[in-house]
Amino acid sequence: MNTYEKDQKNVALKLHYDIANDDFSRAGEASSKIKKMLKQLAIDANIVRRVAIATYEAEINLVIHSNGGNIEVFIKSDCIEIYVEDCGPGIENIDLAMTKGFSTATNVAREMGFGAGMGLPNMEKMSDAFIIESELGAGTNIKMIVRYET
Amino acid sequence: MLVRDLIEKHGFIKISGSDQEREILNVYSCDLLSWVMAKGKHDTAWITVQTHSNILAVASLLDFSCIIIPEGISVEKETVNKADEQDVVLLTTPLEAYEIFKILYEEGVK
Ligand SMILES: Nc1ncnc2c1ncn2[C@@H]1O[C@H](COP(=O)(O)OP(=O)(O)OP(=O)(O)O)[C@@H](O)[C@H]1O
Ligand SMILES: [Mg+2]
């Protein structure tokens, strides 16, 4: 499993959120809703926390770096899968983007406390499986799996 | 210690939220949001000079006890209103981070 592919099998519940770019005032709403839903489903607190952190970082990246996109969460019996897709601009060098501390955030974003270059590393750290694919001019797709038992 | 103790014993001013009975088990200070996301533990009193509304998502996603805005920095009305909606406790104080750490340490947050 090394390529980005949505696994539609055995999905108990599917959540979908569209994320607009540059809408700082609403950034964090989708991840807050996802967290609330997982809590209602009585999912283990540690799993909820990992998904919350991963979806928050994904959501903020869509807001500050992308032209807009969406986050889908598949709740399954053994894991939670998170799919993040956007419609550009894409990432030129993924290895560089994944490096702690690397950021192209604008000064405006940095003044607000974004741009530590920790978002993608945080997402990878929270996931049991992490796949990122990107094409310049097309967009970026990220798949993360958080398993209930590891 | 409880959030209430900061307000009643140390003069911190609560500008939003309601849950004063929340326990404070940890304290953390940082203004880089994804750094906080990586390091923040539950039941933390988080000291930050950031006052825009994104700090609320960080605090509620990580189950923080409260956010402390130090050095008398004023907080935008929009942030206060949203914090009330999301029931996030925001405290302000004229003290600097180091003074706040001392209070929390002496109250048993170690
Ligand atoms: N969806 C995306 N589209 C285009 N570029 C992206 C996207 N997500 C991340 N990037 C690029 O990867 C870099 C690193 O992302 P990462 O989330 O690790 O850090 P950051 O967003 O810059 O800062 P932080 O997340 O710490 O606030 C970004 O600065 C940006 O250049
Ligand atoms: Mg980021």
Side-chain angles (χ1 to χ4, degrees):
Chain A
M1 194 208 65
N2 297 319
T3 52
Y4 179 90
E5 201 179 347
K6 279 193 189 168
D7 182 0
Q8 306 279 358
K9 286 192 302 286
N10 305 317
V11 182
L13 186 67
K14 210 179 273 193
L15 309 174
H16 179 110
Y17 299 92
D18 290 318
I19 315 291
N21 71 318
D22 269 340
D23 193 352
F24 282 99
S25 68
R26 294 189 57 199
E29 273 184 20
S31 35
S32 299
K33 284 182 190 156
I34 292 165
K35 182 190 175 195
K36 205 177 274 176
M37 176 62 79
L38 298 182
K39 268 176 96 171
Q40 277 170 15
L41 294 169
I43 287 168
D44 174 73
N46 190 39
I47 300 292
V48 173
R49 179 183 178 79
R50 287 167 60 197
V51 173
I53 293 169
T55 54
Y56 170 85
E57 295 291 4
E59 181 178 6
I60 299 295
N61 279 358
L62 290 180
V63 172
I64 60 179
H65 304 299
S66 90
N67 303 327
N70 68 76
I71 299 177
E72 278 197 309
V73 180
F74 290 3
I75 298 161
K76 300 190 170 183
S77 61
D78 59 338
C79 68
I80 293 174
E81 292 170 357
I82 303 157
Y83 297 94
V84 189
E85 301 185 346
D86 67 50
C87 44
I91 299 173
E92 192 173 350
N93 183 336
I94 290 182
D95 288 339
L96 193 57
M98 291 300 301
T99 307
K100 281 185 187 170
F102 175 82
S103 175
T104 59
T106 61
N107 282 338
V108 176
R110 283 172 202 266
E111 272 167 26
M112 296 174 77
F114 303 111
M118 292 291 290
L120 289 170
N122 281 354
M123 287 156 70
E124 185 175 37
K125 192 169 149 213
M126 291 304 128
S127 322
D128 294 304
F130 179 90
I131 296 167
I132 178 166
E133 291 182 357
S134 191
E135 197 182 326
L136 265 191
T140 303
N141 293 337
I142 297 172
K143 174 177 180 173
M144 295 177 273
I145 303 179
V146 177
R147 297 201 176 88
Y148 301 145
E149 309 224 17
T150 43
Chain B
M1 76 180 303
L2 304 178
V3 169
R4 159 184 304 286
D5 300 327
L6 285 176
I7 301 164
E8 291 177 358
K9 288 164 69 178
H10 301 283
F12 286 44
I13 297 163
K14 183 169 78 62
I15 58 171
S16 72
S18 62
D19 192 0
Q20 302 185 39
E21 306 308 319
R22 266 302 278 278
E23 196 159 357
I24 298 172
L25 298 176
N26 301 294
V27 55
Y28 191 67
S29 176
C30 182
D31 303 316
L32 296 172
L33 302 186
S34 61
W35 202 272
V36 178
M37 236 30 217
K39 302 284 296 287
K41 303 186 192 108
H42 59 87
D43 300 303
T44 286
W46 173 31
I47 306 166
T48 180
V49 300
Q50 297 289 356
T51 56
H52 58 84
S53 62
N54 288 97
I55 59 174
L56 306 173
V58 172
S60 66
L61 286 169
L62 295 176
D63 293 315
F64 285 172
S65 314
C66 61
I67 303 173
I68 301 171
I69 310 292
E71 304 195 38
I73 296 165
S74 67
V75 181
E76 295 91 302
K77 190 99 194 78
E78 189 210 336
T79 304
V80 176
N81 292 343
K82 279 199 175 177
D84 274 325
E85 275 167 36
Q86 299 174 27
D87 206 7
V88 174
V89 173
L90 281 169
L91 302 176
T92 64
T93 170
L95 300 175
E96 294 180 4
Y98 178 67
E99 301 295 328
I100 301 168
F101 278 124
K102 282 203 310 204
I103 289 173
L104 287 154
Y105 185 84
E106 278 158 17
E107 289 277 0
V109 181
K110 287 173 188 170

